[in-house]
Amino acid sequence: MARDVVVVGSINADLILQVERHPRPGETLLGRTSTVLPGGKGANQAVAAARLGADVAMVGAVGEDAYAATALAGLRDAGVDLTHVRTVDAPTGLAVVTLSDDGENTIVVLPGANATVTPHRVDDAEDLVAGARVCVVQAEIPLATVAHVARLAAAGGTRLVLNVAPAAELPPETVAAADPLVVNEHEAAILLGRRYADPAESARELAARGVRSVVVTLGVGGVVGVADGATWSLPARRVDALDTTGAGDAFVGALAAGIADGLAVEQAAALATRVAAASVTRLGAQPSYPWRGDDLP
Ligand code: RIB
């Protein structure tokens, strides 16, 4: 069955430690609370799209351990098709998120089962990718798989939303297959082989490398994009941020849902900006994402 959105990517359990402030190197701090919530950039994006009403399938892997049920709970709850999520002999991906009182987070990810999402494994989902309106992939699975997914999407005529998060270097042909490529400022600079680059310049420079559309996210600075040769920008919605974990994934998932629904990249980004803003007002990644019909900032 043709899906609106197929996400190939990571599935994690997020162990969230709330602390007054982040520890300095060599320092031991006492934390306040710990919570385990579903996460992983791929799963987060799938849930964000599904909660907005898109028909979504996920391709990925979890382990046989106790974290697997938590990691899949948000996907199940949002009605995401998990036929192509395998249970493998490796620990479920785990992210340790340290969240300070000022809303800033640090994240360490242990890929575990996500490392088994190889090109060969994804071949089992070739028809799913080829039949979808939009395929979304990020860089928390092996980079060879990201490149392979880009090839499968191109061969099937499927629109590819490529989110190069966390920052990674990818072959030019993989990046050029994106429509749109979605990166933050830091990820854009890495793709361009620099330490820093002006966001609008980055978007134009990446587009000049043959990418049909580019979206650079700037957090509270909003987004800047290039599509069809024109540069545009959108402000972020003003909200009281409690936890920014997974806000970028909320943006990508909503963007994919909007594009699958027929919106142009800029219009889909306008929706995604609002969904991301809603997500930072609540704790965690997936539990913070709005459902279709919810009021948005
Ligand atoms: O983008 C946020 C996500 O990054 C978290 O859910 C965590 O699992 C890591 O993958």
Side-chain angles (χ1 to χ4, degrees):
M1 180 185 154
R3 301 287 177 183
D4 295 331
V5 177
V6 172
V7 179
V8 184
S10 58
I11 304 171
N12 294 337
D14 288 357
L15 171 60
I16 303 172
L17 307 177
Q18 285 190 282
V19 292
E20 198 177 314
R21 62 174 177 81
H22 293 290
R24 299 187 192 92
E27 186 182 23
T28 299
L29 280 183
L30 297 186
R32 195 179 304 126
T33 59
S34 70
T35 320
V36 184
L37 294 173
K41 293 186 193 304
N44 293 347
Q45 294 169 7
V47 168
R51 283 191 173 201
L52 292 175
D55 183 5
V56 182
M58 177 89 210
V59 180
V62 294
E64 289 175 339
D65 49 16
Y67 280 133
T70 302
L72 294 175
L75 290 159
R76 288 194 205 287
D77 188 45
V80 175
D81 176 3
L82 302 181
T83 307
H84 287 274
V85 173
R86 289 173 183 273
T87 300
V88 298
D89 184 17
T92 299
L94 179 68
V96 179
V97 181
T98 310
L99 175 65
S100 63
D101 282 350
D102 60 7
E104 289 293 329
N105 66 36
T106 62
I107 305 181
V108 176
V109 178
L110 301 173
N114 297 307
T116 73
V117 185
T118 58
H120 177 63
R121 282 282 169 83
V122 173
D123 279 341
D124 294 346
E126 185 175 353
D127 291 347
L128 185 72
V129 171
R133 287 202 171 87
V134 173
C135 177
V136 184
V137 67
Q138 342 65 35
E140 235 175 26
I141 54 174
L143 297 183
T145 308
V146 178
H148 190 61
V149 170
R151 284 191 292 272
L152 290 182
T158 302
R159 184 96 172 245
L160 180 73
V161 175
L162 171 61
N163 175 217
V164 191
E169 290 176 32
L170 287 169
E173 59 274 20
T174 301
V175 177
D179 183 17
L181 168 71
V182 187
V183 281
N184 66 24
E185 288 171 271
H186 171 65
E187 292 152 0
I190 303 257
L191 270 183
L192 291 166
R194 314 231 174 91
R195 287 172 71 90
Y196 173 79
D198 172 77
E201 281 303 316
S202 297
R204 281 192 282 270
E205 209 174 315
L206 287 162
R209 294 183 178 192
V211 189
R212 189 169 288 166
S213 61
V214 180
V215 177
V216 180
T217 59
L218 308 169
V220 292
V223 290
V224 57
V226 173
D228 300 322
T231 305
W232 49 268
S233 63
L234 297 167
R237 300 279 164 156
R238 288 187 175 277
V239 290
D240 288 329
L242 174 72
D243 180 7
T244 58
T245 308
D249 302 329
F251 181 92
V252 172
L255 186 75
I259 291 171
D261 205 25
L263 296 180
V265 173
E266 186 176 350
Q267 278 72 47
L271 166 70
T273 304
R274 301 179 68 194
V275 169
S279 80
V280 304
T281 62
R282 292 183 283 266
L283 183 71
Q286 293 171 31
S288 72
Y289 297 167
W291 294 85
R292 183 184 194 147
D294 283 356
D295 286 338
L296 296 175

